[in-house]
Amino acid sequence: MIPKSHPRYESLLMREKISEGVKKGLVHETGMIAHGRGEAFDYLLGEKTIPPADRAAIAAAAYLKNAENAVISINGNVAVLSARECVELAEAANAKIEVNLFHRTEERVEKLVKFIENKGGSDVLGREADARIPGLEHDRGKCSSEGIYSADVVLVPLEDGDRCEALKKMGKKVITIDLNPLSRTARTADVTVVDNVVRAIPNIKKHLLEKHEWDEIIKSWDNRKCLQDCMEYISRRLSLYKF
Ligand code: PTJ
């Protein structure tokens, strides 16, 4: 039990959720490594939503708002950290939820679908896996024809670069959430929210419920510029650091 008074309470709670998730078979063991990499970048950001990430969250809301068939793809890490928030975002965006895994096993898909249902999700896709993402080998390419396969906009938090690229090749608009602005996923996606999923998902939902000039936001969105702004933010923060 982590005491709430601990200065790193939030961060330790996330670790606990990931580690419990591994024990329950929800999170793949390499999910702990992915989380550790994320933590390091979160440290560099100051563990808060930085201004360019907030702008990206508005752009993400714009793409979700204008989508015909939006899908939120959930993996093990995202489920244990923010399943409830993903369900709420899906409701606000009228989007579907699909469990789609890098290290796919039918057993883990089943566990994750049930886990999300317990957090309020309904009609969670992923079990059927009746379609394939072209260009991805073996089980990694499996997806739902009703979900990711036919989606026009896909939100893929904590994604791997390959899948992001493959989804783009299918003509989809890809939104990602990745604490690492240098990752291949971050550089490939149409919108990259450089933030922790636990902050980014509720923030996208918050913006979605506001009034914005959605078409204008999409028209003027420049993801490369946003990534550059994130890097400059980190560099400035580091250069001003005083011991
Ligand atoms: O559940 P599965 O089988 O689909 O596997 C999921 C993982 C995450 C293990 C798999 O997709 C993977 O190996 O991902 P990568 O290639 O390590 O990429 C994860 C990216 O997410 C890294 O760039 C991390 O910096 C970033 N990241 C980690 N934790 C968070 C994060 N970004 C946002 N919020 C986080 N909490």
Side-chain angles (χ1 to χ4, degrees), residues 57-180:
I58 297 175
Y63 276 98
L64 288 173
K65 193 95 184 171
N66 279 12
E68 298 260 321
N69 183 14
V71 173
I72 302 176
S73 175
I74 301 193
N75 64 19
N77 289 47
V78 175
V80 300
L81 292 179
S82 38
R84 177 77 213 133
E85 290 73 15
C86 286
V87 168
E88 287 174 5
L89 176 62
E91 277 166 13
N94 199 16
K96 293 172 186 159
I97 289 181
E98 177 169 340
V99 171
N100 196 265
L101 303 179
F102 186 85
H103 307 279
R104 186 186 176 95
T105 65
E106 300 317 312
E107 193 193 343
R108 200 150 73 85
V109 172
E110 188 59 37
K111 280 186 183 175
L112 284 163
V113 169
K114 289 211 174 106
F115 182 81
I116 298 164
E117 284 171 349
N118 282 334
K119 299 282 178 182
S122 52
D123 303 318
V124 178
L125 301 167
R127 291 179 175 116
E128 53 293 336
D130 54 353
R132 293 197 70 88
I133 302 169
L136 289 184
E137 289 154 31
H138 311 300
D139 288 353
R140 284 178 56 207
K142 287 186 177 174
C143 68
S144 160
S145 58
E146 229 192 292
I148 288 178
Y149 189 79
S150 55
D152 55 346
V153 175
V154 197
L155 168 59
V156 279
L158 271 82
E159 191 50 16
D160 73 292
D162 270 10
R163 187 165 10 209
C164 184
E165 213 168 297
L167 291 172
K168 289 275 300 164
K169 279 194 186 140
M170 287 175 85
K172 301 177 192 306
K173 293 292 174 196
V174 180
I175 305 165
T176 194
I177 300 168
D178 193 333
L179 280 160
N180 176 6

Side-chain angles (χ1 to χ4, degrees), residues 44 232-243:
L44 299 178
E232 279 166 20
Y233 182 97
I234 293 172
S235 310
R236 211 169 34 247
R237 195 165 175 269
L238 292 182
S239 70
L240 294 173
Y241 202 91
K242 291 273 176 293
F243 287 96

Side-chain angles (χ1 to χ4, degrees), residues 37-64:
R37 184 191 291 175
E39 266 190 0
F41 278 99
D42 211 3
Y43 225 88
L44 299 178
L45 298 175
E47 293 172 316
K48 62 174 193 203
T49 302
I50 65 172
D54 193 49
R55 288 200 295 279
I58 297 175
Y63 276 98
L64 288 173

